[in-house]
Amino acid sequence: MHDGWSMIGSDIDDISLHWARENVKLNSLQDRIEILPVRADKPILQPLLAYPESQYSPRPLCPTSTHRPPRFDFLMCNPPFYSSAEEVADLAGMKELDPSGVCTGSDNEMITPGGEVGFVGRMVRESTRVGRRCRWYTSLLGKLSSVKEVIELIRSPEVNIDNYAIGEITQGRTRRLAIAWSFGDARLPDAVGRPTAAALKSFV
């Protein structure tokens, strides 16, 4: 974690929130990381919506305070990838998994109505309300088809965002796709925001 950063983490699950707070304490980061409970029936971007007067400013994040609203440089999300338990089982059945490859996430971590496209699509729509309170919005995605659908939403007249980037992240045998979008004028360099993989090039 960068020395000048402070961060807000959020989750809907009480057990996850408990252990997140414990990890913050174990690393002595209580003055720099705030863990907020959020509700599944409320906007995904609840922490950002809680600071309506905040606008992005290109300076280090200040500590979270009720008297001094934070400036958000970026938001990152690892969304629930699946729309149902059946989809999880079907996709697992198509793979030959060794013990380290077995998914051990809980249902609320892995499953949401509409899957990852539904979840990240909600984030995109909500971000139009938050605007420049956050400099960059980012999320992982698990499927190539999801990248196409999310980009179609980003480009649509409903949202009309023209500043976005895509890429891929590989760790061992696991590959995840990433998408980022912004309402600001600053654009990422092509080396960062434009993919080299042939399957992704048609989306930019």
Side-chain angles (χ1 to χ4, degrees), residues 102-114:
V102 174
C103 185
T104 57
S106 62
D107 283 355
N108 70 297
E109 292 175 310
M110 298 192 301
I111 299 170
T112 190

Side-chain angles (χ1 to χ4, degrees), residues 96-102 173:
E96 293 184 9
L97 299 175
D98 58 30
S100 65
V102 174
R173 289 183 294 173

Side-chain angles (χ1 to χ4, degrees), residues 1 5-14 16-24 29-39 43-48 50-51 61-64 70 72 74-78:
M1 184 170 174
W5 289 359
S6 60
M7 305 186 80
I8 295 175
S10 65
D11 206 291
I12 62 172
D13 182 73
D14 289 339
S16 297
L17 289 164
H18 168 77
W19 289 112
R21 292 186 179 109
E22 288 299 307
N23 281 329
V24 169
L29 292 170
Q30 300 95 314
D31 60 336
R32 295 174 58 195
I33 299 178
E34 181 181 1
I35 305 297
L36 293 179
V38 294
R39 290 173 46 180
I44 297 169
L45 304 185
Q46 291 167 63
L48 276 68
Y51 298 97
L61 286 172
C62 65
T64 36
F72 297 96
F74 66 91
L75 175 149
M76 57 183 178
C77 175
N78 185 17

Side-chain angles (χ1 to χ4, degrees), residues 122-200:
R122 282 176 58 197
M123 287 177 57
V124 171
R125 291 183 177 92
E126 289 177 15
S127 72
T128 63
R129 295 169 52 194
V130 180
R132 296 195 183 203
R133 282 178 236 162
C134 180
R135 190 180 189 191
W136 281 97
Y137 303 82
T138 77
S139 181
L140 294 179
L141 290 167
K143 294 181 287 188
L144 188 63
S145 60
S146 299
V147 177
K148 181 176 185 293
E149 290 187 60
V150 173
I151 288 177
E152 285 175 351
L153 173 62
I154 284 174
R155 289 172 165 174
S156 70
E158 174 191 356
V159 176
N160 195 28
I161 299 170
D162 66 1
N163 189 3
Y164 66 91
I166 56 176
E168 56 185 342
I169 300 167
T170 303
Q171 185 173 14
R173 289 183 294 173
T174 300
R175 185 187 75 150
R176 288 288 180 263
L177 304 161
I179 187 160
W181 65 97
S182 175
F183 296 90
D185 298 325
R187 295 179 181 267
L188 296 175
D190 287 350
V192 176
R194 293 295 179 261
T196 57
L200 293 174

